[in-house]
Short mmCIF file of all heavy atoms in Angstrom, two decimals:
data_model
loop_
_atom_site.label_atom_id
_atom_site.label_comp_id
_atom_site.label_asym_id
_atom_site.label_seq_id
_atom_site.Cartn_x
_atom_site.Cartn_y
_atom_site.Cartn_z
N ALA A 1112 -51.25 19.01 -5.71
CA ALA A 1112 -49.96 19.54 -6.16
C ALA A 1112 -48.83 18.52 -6.02
O ALA A 1112 -49.03 17.42 -5.39
CB ALA A 1112 -49.62 20.82 -5.41
N THR A 1113 -47.74 18.83 -6.56
CA THR A 1113 -46.50 17.96 -6.50
C THR A 1113 -45.59 18.57 -5.43
O THR A 1113 -45.25 19.74 -5.50
CB THR A 1113 -45.81 17.87 -7.78
OG1 THR A 1113 -46.63 17.30 -8.79
CG2 THR A 1113 -44.55 17.02 -7.66
N LYS A 1114 -45.29 17.78 -4.40
CA LYS A 1114 -44.52 18.22 -3.32
C LYS A 1114 -43.10 17.81 -3.55
O LYS A 1114 -42.84 16.60 -3.78
CB LYS A 1114 -44.96 17.74 -1.94
CG LYS A 1114 -44.12 18.19 -0.75
CD LYS A 1114 -44.68 17.70 0.56
CE LYS A 1114 -44.51 16.20 0.72
NZ LYS A 1114 -44.91 15.76 2.08
N ILE A 1115 -42.19 18.79 -3.58
CA ILE A 1115 -40.80 18.47 -3.71
C ILE A 1115 -40.11 18.71 -2.40
O ILE A 1115 -40.15 19.84 -1.84
CB ILE A 1115 -40.19 19.36 -4.79
CG1 ILE A 1115 -40.85 19.14 -6.17
CG2 ILE A 1115 -38.70 19.12 -4.87
CD1 ILE A 1115 -40.39 19.99 -7.27
N VAL A 1116 -39.46 17.70 -1.85
CA VAL A 1116 -38.76 17.79 -0.56
C VAL A 1116 -37.20 17.70 -0.81
O VAL A 1116 -36.79 16.75 -1.46
CB VAL A 1116 -39.23 16.63 0.40
CG1 VAL A 1116 -38.47 16.70 1.71
CG2 VAL A 1116 -40.72 16.71 0.57
N GLU A 1117 -36.57 18.68 -0.41
CA GLU A 1117 -35.08 18.77 -0.53
C GLU A 1117 -34.46 18.62 0.83
O GLU A 1117 -34.78 19.42 1.75
CB GLU A 1117 -34.67 20.06 -1.23
CG GLU A 1117 -35.13 20.18 -2.61
CD GLU A 1117 -34.65 21.47 -3.33
OE1 GLU A 1117 -34.18 22.36 -2.56
OE2 GLU A 1117 -34.74 21.53 -4.49
N VAL A 1118 -33.63 17.59 0.95
CA VAL A 1118 -32.95 17.32 2.23
C VAL A 1118 -31.48 17.35 2.05
O VAL A 1118 -30.93 16.60 1.20
CB VAL A 1118 -33.38 15.97 2.84
CG1 VAL A 1118 -32.63 15.64 4.16
CG2 VAL A 1118 -34.92 15.84 3.00
N PRO A 1119 -30.75 18.24 2.80
CA PRO A 1119 -29.33 18.30 2.59
C PRO A 1119 -28.70 17.11 3.26
O PRO A 1119 -29.13 16.61 4.32
CB PRO A 1119 -28.94 19.61 3.32
CG PRO A 1119 -30.07 19.81 4.28
CD PRO A 1119 -31.25 19.25 3.62
N GLU A 1120 -27.67 16.56 2.63
CA GLU A 1120 -27.02 15.41 3.14
C GLU A 1120 -25.49 15.44 2.78
O GLU A 1120 -25.10 16.01 1.76
CB GLU A 1120 -27.59 14.15 2.53
CG GLU A 1120 -27.03 12.83 3.07
CD GLU A 1120 -27.69 11.59 2.40
OE1 GLU A 1120 -27.29 11.21 1.35
OE2 GLU A 1120 -28.65 11.08 2.97
N THR A 1121 -24.70 14.94 3.71
CA THR A 1121 -23.25 14.93 3.48
C THR A 1121 -22.82 13.54 3.03
O THR A 1121 -23.11 12.53 3.74
CB THR A 1121 -22.48 15.31 4.83
OG1 THR A 1121 -22.89 16.62 5.23
CG2 THR A 1121 -21.03 15.28 4.60
N VAL A 1122 -22.16 13.51 1.86
CA VAL A 1122 -21.76 12.19 1.31
C VAL A 1122 -20.26 12.02 1.68
O VAL A 1122 -19.46 12.84 1.42
CB VAL A 1122 -21.98 12.24 -0.22
CG1 VAL A 1122 -21.47 10.92 -0.89
CG2 VAL A 1122 -23.45 12.43 -0.52
N VAL A 1123 -19.98 10.88 2.30
CA VAL A 1123 -18.62 10.56 2.66
C VAL A 1123 -18.11 9.49 1.71
O VAL A 1123 -18.76 8.53 1.55
CB VAL A 1123 -18.52 10.11 4.13
CG1 VAL A 1123 -17.09 9.66 4.51
CG2 VAL A 1123 -19.11 11.16 5.09
N ALA A 1124 -17.00 9.72 1.11
CA ALA A 1124 -16.35 8.77 0.19
C ALA A 1124 -14.94 8.48 0.64
O ALA A 1124 -14.22 9.38 1.20
CB ALA A 1124 -16.33 9.29 -1.25
N GLN A 1125 -14.53 7.24 0.45
CA GLN A 1125 -13.18 6.83 0.83
C GLN A 1125 -12.45 6.21 -0.34
O GLN A 1125 -13.03 5.45 -1.15
CB GLN A 1125 -13.19 5.83 2.01
CG GLN A 1125 -13.50 6.35 3.37
CD GLN A 1125 -13.24 5.43 4.47
OE1 GLN A 1125 -13.19 4.21 4.23
NE2 GLN A 1125 -13.27 5.85 5.63
N GLN A 1126 -11.23 6.61 -0.46
CA GLN A 1126 -10.36 6.09 -1.54
C GLN A 1126 -9.15 5.44 -0.89
O GLN A 1126 -8.46 6.16 -0.08
CB GLN A 1126 -9.98 7.13 -2.52
CG GLN A 1126 -9.13 6.59 -3.68
CD GLN A 1126 -8.81 7.68 -4.71
OE1 GLN A 1126 -9.16 8.83 -4.47
NE2 GLN A 1126 -8.18 7.35 -5.77
N ARG A 1127 -8.82 4.21 -1.20
CA ARG A 1127 -7.71 3.55 -0.58
C ARG A 1127 -6.66 3.20 -1.64
O ARG A 1127 -7.00 2.71 -2.73
CB ARG A 1127 -8.17 2.25 0.15
CG ARG A 1127 -9.17 2.50 1.24
CD ARG A 1127 -9.58 1.22 1.96
NE ARG A 1127 -10.61 1.48 3.00
CZ ARG A 1127 -10.94 0.55 3.92
NH1 ARG A 1127 -10.35 -0.68 3.93
NH2 ARG A 1127 -11.84 0.88 4.78
N SER A 1128 -5.44 3.31 -1.27
CA SER A 1128 -4.28 2.93 -2.18
C SER A 1128 -3.29 2.33 -1.25
O SER A 1128 -3.01 2.76 -0.18
CB SER A 1128 -3.76 4.15 -2.90
OG SER A 1128 -3.20 5.07 -1.95
N VAL A 1129 -2.64 1.16 -1.78
CA VAL A 1129 -1.61 0.46 -1.04
C VAL A 1129 -0.34 0.43 -1.88
O VAL A 1129 -0.41 0.09 -3.01
CB VAL A 1129 -2.10 -1.03 -0.72
CG1 VAL A 1129 -1.03 -1.69 0.09
CG2 VAL A 1129 -3.42 -0.94 0.03
N THR A 1130 0.72 0.89 -1.24
CA THR A 1130 2.06 0.84 -1.88
C THR A 1130 3.01 0.04 -1.07
O THR A 1130 2.69 -0.25 0.14
CB THR A 1130 2.63 2.24 -2.03
OG1 THR A 1130 2.73 2.89 -0.77
CG2 THR A 1130 1.70 3.09 -2.98
N GLY A 1131 4.04 -0.43 -1.62
CA GLY A 1131 5.02 -1.27 -0.84
C GLY A 1131 6.43 -1.14 -1.37
O GLY A 1131 6.65 -0.58 -2.45
N THR A 1132 7.38 -1.74 -0.65
CA THR A 1132 8.74 -1.79 -1.03
C THR A 1132 9.28 -3.23 -0.86
O THR A 1132 8.79 -3.92 0.06
CB THR A 1132 9.61 -0.78 -0.24
OG1 THR A 1132 9.43 -1.13 1.19
CG2 THR A 1132 9.20 0.61 -0.52
N MET A 1133 10.19 -3.62 -1.70
CA MET A 1133 10.76 -4.93 -1.54
C MET A 1133 11.57 -4.99 -0.28
O MET A 1133 12.05 -4.00 0.22
CB MET A 1133 11.64 -5.23 -2.78
CG MET A 1133 10.84 -5.47 -4.07
SD MET A 1133 9.87 -7.00 -3.93
CE MET A 1133 9.22 -7.02 -5.62
N PRO A 1134 11.71 -6.23 0.25
CA PRO A 1134 12.60 -6.43 1.46
C PRO A 1134 14.04 -6.08 1.12
O PRO A 1134 14.50 -6.25 0.03
CB PRO A 1134 12.42 -7.88 1.79
CG PRO A 1134 11.95 -8.57 0.55
CD PRO A 1134 11.10 -7.52 -0.20
N THR A 1135 14.73 -5.56 2.14
CA THR A 1135 16.13 -5.15 1.94
C THR A 1135 16.95 -6.40 1.68
O THR A 1135 16.94 -7.39 2.40
CB THR A 1135 16.70 -4.52 3.21
OG1 THR A 1135 15.81 -3.39 3.49
CG2 THR A 1135 18.13 -3.98 3.07
N PRO A 1136 17.74 -6.42 0.57
CA PRO A 1136 18.61 -7.57 0.25
C PRO A 1136 19.64 -7.76 1.27
O PRO A 1136 20.18 -6.78 1.89
CB PRO A 1136 19.20 -7.27 -1.10
CG PRO A 1136 19.09 -5.75 -1.16
CD PRO A 1136 17.96 -5.31 -0.38
N PRO A 1137 20.17 -8.97 1.54
CA PRO A 1137 21.23 -9.23 2.49
C PRO A 1137 22.55 -8.52 2.03
O PRO A 1137 22.81 -8.42 0.90
CB PRO A 1137 21.34 -10.74 2.56
CG PRO A 1137 20.85 -11.18 1.27
CD PRO A 1137 19.73 -10.24 0.87
N THR A 1138 23.34 -8.14 2.99
CA THR A 1138 24.65 -7.56 2.76
C THR A 1138 25.57 -8.53 2.11
O THR A 1138 25.75 -9.68 2.67
CB THR A 1138 25.22 -7.01 4.08
OG1 THR A 1138 24.28 -6.07 4.66
CG2 THR A 1138 26.59 -6.24 3.77
N PRO A 1139 26.23 -8.29 0.97
CA PRO A 1139 27.06 -9.19 0.38
C PRO A 1139 28.33 -9.34 1.13
O PRO A 1139 28.81 -8.46 1.87
CB PRO A 1139 27.36 -8.53 -0.95
CG PRO A 1139 27.08 -7.10 -0.79
CD PRO A 1139 26.03 -7.01 0.18
N PRO A 1140 29.01 -10.55 1.11
CA PRO A 1140 30.23 -10.76 1.86
C PRO A 1140 31.40 -9.93 1.29
O PRO A 1140 31.32 -9.48 0.14
CB PRO A 1140 30.50 -12.29 1.70
CG PRO A 1140 29.77 -12.63 0.44
CD PRO A 1140 28.60 -11.71 0.34
N PRO A 1141 32.48 -9.72 2.01
CA PRO A 1141 33.66 -9.01 1.53
C PRO A 1141 34.18 -9.73 0.24
O PRO A 1141 34.04 -10.95 0.10
CB PRO A 1141 34.59 -9.06 2.66
CG PRO A 1141 33.78 -9.21 3.87
CD PRO A 1141 32.60 -10.06 3.43
N ALA A 1142 34.83 -9.01 -0.66
CA ALA A 1142 35.35 -9.61 -1.85
C ALA A 1142 36.36 -10.72 -1.62
O ALA A 1142 36.45 -11.64 -2.44
CB ALA A 1142 35.93 -8.46 -2.71
N ASP A 1143 37.20 -10.56 -0.53
CA ASP A 1143 38.22 -11.54 -0.32
C ASP A 1143 37.82 -12.70 0.57
O ASP A 1143 38.59 -13.54 0.98
CB ASP A 1143 39.41 -10.86 0.31
CG ASP A 1143 39.07 -10.12 1.57
OD1 ASP A 1143 37.84 -9.98 1.86
OD2 ASP A 1143 40.08 -9.68 2.27
N ALA A 1144 36.49 -12.74 0.91
CA ALA A 1144 36.01 -13.78 1.82
C ALA A 1144 35.77 -15.03 1.03
O ALA A 1144 35.28 -14.98 -0.12
CB ALA A 1144 34.66 -13.33 2.54
N PRO A 1145 36.12 -16.24 1.54
CA PRO A 1145 35.76 -17.44 0.85
C PRO A 1145 34.30 -17.65 0.68
O PRO A 1145 33.53 -17.27 1.58
CB PRO A 1145 36.38 -18.53 1.75
CG PRO A 1145 36.55 -17.94 3.07
CD PRO A 1145 36.75 -16.48 2.85
N ILE A 1146 33.90 -18.25 -0.33
CA ILE A 1146 32.47 -18.51 -0.63
C ILE A 1146 32.10 -19.98 -0.52
O ILE A 1146 32.88 -20.80 -1.10
CB ILE A 1146 32.05 -17.95 -1.99
CG1 ILE A 1146 32.35 -16.43 -2.09
CG2 ILE A 1146 30.60 -18.23 -2.38
CD1 ILE A 1146 32.10 -15.77 -3.42
N LEU A 1147 31.08 -20.26 0.09
CA LEU A 1147 30.56 -21.66 0.27
C LEU A 1147 29.21 -21.79 -0.36
O LEU A 1147 28.40 -20.86 -0.10
CB LEU A 1147 30.56 -22.07 1.75
CG LEU A 1147 31.91 -22.05 2.48
CD1 LEU A 1147 31.66 -22.54 3.88
CD2 LEU A 1147 32.87 -23.04 1.76
N ILE A 1148 28.91 -22.81 -1.19
CA ILE A 1148 27.65 -22.95 -1.74
C ILE A 1148 26.97 -24.14 -1.03
O ILE A 1148 27.47 -25.25 -1.03
CB ILE A 1148 27.82 -23.24 -3.31
CG1 ILE A 1148 28.54 -22.02 -3.97
CG2 ILE A 1148 26.46 -23.52 -3.92
CD1 ILE A 1148 28.81 -22.31 -5.46
N ALA A 1149 25.80 -23.82 -0.47
CA ALA A 1149 25.10 -24.82 0.22
C ALA A 1149 24.40 -25.80 -0.74
O ALA A 1149 23.95 -25.45 -1.79
CB ALA A 1149 24.00 -24.19 1.13
N THR A 1150 24.49 -27.03 -0.41
CA THR A 1150 23.84 -28.13 -1.16
C THR A 1150 22.78 -28.84 -0.31
O THR A 1150 22.76 -28.71 0.93
CB THR A 1150 24.93 -29.14 -1.64
OG1 THR A 1150 25.46 -29.84 -0.47
CG2 THR A 1150 26.02 -28.44 -2.42
#
């Protein structure tokens, strides 16, 4: 005869997702502050 064996099994699956945010921009200087440009 043909023997059929059934074994219960638990299948574990993982799904990974990565999200991100840009770094916080630096605080702009006050409008009346003098501006220097680095060279």
Side-chain angles (χ1 to χ4, degrees):
T1113 299
K1114 180 176 70 173
I1115 299 177
V1116 181
E1117 294 182 346
V1118 179
E1120 186 178 83
T1121 301
V1122 178
V1123 179
Q1125 285 189 345
Q1126 183 179 3
R1127 302 185 180 189
S1128 63
V1129 181
T1130 59
T1132 57
M1133 289 294 185
T1135 304
T1138 304
D1143 56 350
I1146 298 176
L1147 299 178
I1148 301 176
T1150 64

